[in-house]
Amino acid sequence: MKKTVARALRKDTPACYPLAVDFRKTYYVLPNLFTLSSVLCGFASLALSASGRSGEDLYLAALAICFGLVFDTFDGRVARLTKTQTDLGRDLDSLADVITFGAAPALLVYKWGLIDFGYTGIFIAGLFVCAGALRLARFNVLSRRSETSGHKKPGKFTLGLSIPPAASLLVFMVIVSHNSGEYRLVSETSLAAIVLVLSFLMVSRVRFRSFKELRLSPKTVIVLLLILSSSAAWWMAGFAKAFIFLFLVLAYIVLGLAEEVLFYRRRRAQERSANQPPVPEPPTETDEEVLRELGAFDEVDSQEKDTETASSDKVDTVDTIDRVEDDRSEERRVGKECRSRW
């Protein structure tokens, strides 16, 4: 350690920083800190839901998931901003989403409106967790395939409903019910149907917008101002803030379903054309082949045939002369052998 300090001091390093520190390496910690904060929020929600004895505990559990949603929103953007995207961060983010937006909302909605179904309620809530895990696993596989093929930019659409919006819909339902003074705004059967539909959308092939390719443009600014103005109008009309967020999540899901219905045929045709092997083009005839078919090279071809015939005749004549000479030489040899014997 002393040698290292002495070597650093010999290089005229300032006294307050005797050793060179690469702060670039610390950037990789920032996205993971946001992700781990989301995990802690998910665990807090699980603890509050498991020990919840009143609607107040479930309300606090829903707020914990909302804080986890905020951390999950910023971890990916911080990673892209600092250019510290790693495989560790991607897998850690998937595991965090399973806890914060899979297990925590499932237990919350079970304690809130599915507990009277007994084992059936446990099964329905468990389907939500399983569908979210499958959705995240498929996302990781598709993202790795796109990187292998050379597509590094995020796509405009995601295959299946993402697990954060699905969890947000359930969470905001709990918050809106609590703010309205009622324990549950929807019936238990309707809540079970909503959970099943969300589970199906997560594992389906319906495409939803990812909004990762958004850039500051006049069109984006107009849409953002429209959303903010409509939200402000709803808030001034007396609606709760949580109801505004619930409406935005519902609008996002309805937008994805509407686009899938409107552009269903076009997308399926694109998928079929991408999966089919390319059709080989028919061979095109050259100008020389066309002229030959029209008879432009008949004289040349006849001359070439005559030349080939003459050359073959010459070859046959030479072969015949060689055979005759071979026969004569054989006769002379046999005659000499006979004379020598006599």
Side-chain angles (χ1 to χ4, degrees), residues 306-324:
D306 294 340
T307 305
E308 292 177 357
T309 304
S311 61
S312 62
D313 292 341
K314 289 180 181 179
V315 172
D316 294 339
T317 304
V318 172
D319 293 339
T320 304
I321 294 172
D322 292 339
R323 285 196 298 271
V324 171

Side-chain angles (χ1 to χ4, degrees), residues 144-161:
R144 287 190 174 92
R145 286 182 181 178
S146 62
E147 289 181 359
T148 304
S149 60
H151 300 284
K152 295 184 179 180
K153 294 183 179 180
K156 295 182 180 180
F157 297 92
T158 59
L159 193 62
L161 179 63

Side-chain angles (χ1 to χ4, degrees), residues 6 40 86 111 128 131 157-158 178 194 199 203 217 265 280 286 291 311 323 327 339:
L40 290 177
T86 59
K111 297 282 289 189
F128 184 85
F157 297 92
T158 59
H178 181 271
I194 292 173
S199 302
V203 297
S217 61
R265 293 183 178 179
T286 61
L291 293 174
S311 61
R323 285 196 298 271
D327 294 339
R339 285 194 298 271

Side-chain angles (χ1 to χ4, degrees), residues 209-262:
R209 290 188 175 271
S210 61
F211 297 110
K212 293 181 180 180
E213 81 288 352
L214 288 180
R215 297 293 182 269
L216 188 60
S217 61
K219 184 178 179 180
T220 306
V221 173
I222 292 174
V223 173
L224 183 60
L225 291 176
L226 180 62
I227 294 174
L228 292 177
S229 59
S230 60
S231 300
W234 279 59
W235 180 56
M236 293 177 64
F239 291 95
K241 298 178 181 179
F243 186 81
I244 298 175
F245 288 107
L246 178 62
F247 172 76
L248 293 177
V249 175
L250 280 174
Y252 171 74
I253 296 175
V254 172
L255 175 64
L257 294 175
E259 287 184 342
E260 183 67 20
V261 172
L262 294 176

Side-chain angles (χ1 to χ4, degrees), residues 46-309:
L46 288 171
L48 291 171
S49 298
S51 61
R53 298 179 181 178
S54 61
E56 188 68 25
D57 294 334
L58 298 180
Y59 173 72
L60 293 177
L63 289 181
I65 297 176
C66 290
F67 281 106
L69 180 63
V70 173
F71 288 119
D72 181 75
T73 303
F74 284 101
D75 61 352
R77 284 164 175 77
V78 170
R80 286 189 291 271
L81 181 63
T82 57
K83 297 180 180 180
T84 54
Q85 296 171 307
T86 59
D87 293 336
L88 174 64
R90 178 172 50 191
D91 294 337
L92 181 62
D93 183 69
S94 298
L95 294 174
D97 289 348
V98 172
I99 297 173
T100 308
F101 307 117
L107 183 59
L108 172 65
V109 76
Y110 169 74
K111 297 282 289 189
W112 183 58
L114 299 177
I115 193 171
D116 293 336
F117 285 105
Y119 292 109
T120 305
I122 296 175
F123 177 75
I124 294 174
L127 282 179
F128 184 85
V129 182
C130 295
L134 287 174
R135 167 66 177 78
L136 292 169
R138 184 175 63 180
F139 172 77
N140 289 340
V141 172
L142 293 178
S143 61
R144 287 190 174 92
R145 286 182 181 178
S146 62
E147 289 181 359
T148 304
S149 60
H151 300 284
K152 295 184 179 180
K153 294 183 179 180
K156 295 182 180 180
F157 297 92
T158 59
L159 193 62
L161 179 63
S162 300
I163 190 171
S168 301
L169 182 62
L170 301 177
V171 169
F172 288 134
M173 288 175 60
V174 176
I175 296 176
V176 168
S177 299
H178 181 271
N179 293 336
S180 61
E182 298 183 10
Y183 182 77
R184 191 185 305 115
L185 288 178
V186 295
S187 62
E188 298 176 353
T189 305
S190 301
L191 181 61
I194 292 173
V195 174
L196 291 176
V197 170
L198 293 176
S199 302
F200 171 75
L201 290 178
M202 283 191 288
V203 297
S204 66
R205 296 185 61 84
V206 180
R207 297 183 182 182
F208 292 87
R209 290 188 175 271
S210 61
F211 297 110
K212 293 181 180 180
E213 81 288 352
L214 288 180
R215 297 293 182 269
L216 188 60
S217 61
K219 184 178 179 180
T220 306
V221 173
I222 292 174
V223 173
L224 183 60
L225 291 176
L226 180 62
I227 294 174
L228 292 177
S229 59
S230 60
S231 300
W234 279 59
W235 180 56
M236 293 177 64
F239 291 95
K241 298 178 181 179
F243 186 81
I244 298 175
F245 288 107
L246 178 62
F247 172 76
L248 293 177
V249 175
L250 280 174
Y252 171 74
I253 296 175
V254 172
L255 175 64
L257 294 175
E259 287 184 342
E260 183 67 20
V261 172
L262 294 176
F263 304 108
Y264 177 79
R265 293 183 178 179
R266 182 189 303 178
R267 290 174 177 176
R268 292 299 174 265
Q270 292 176 356
E271 291 180 358
R272 285 194 297 268
S273 61
N275 295 329
Q276 290 179 355
V279 180
E281 298 181 357
T284 57
E285 294 182 348
T286 61
D287 295 338
E288 183 178 354
E289 292 177 352
V290 174
L291 293 174
R292 191 179 298 279
E293 291 179 358
L294 295 175
F297 296 100
D298 290 344
E299 296 180 359
V300 178
D301 294 340
S302 61
Q303 292 177 1
E304 291 179 354
K305 290 181 180 178
D306 294 340
T307 305
E308 292 177 357
T309 304

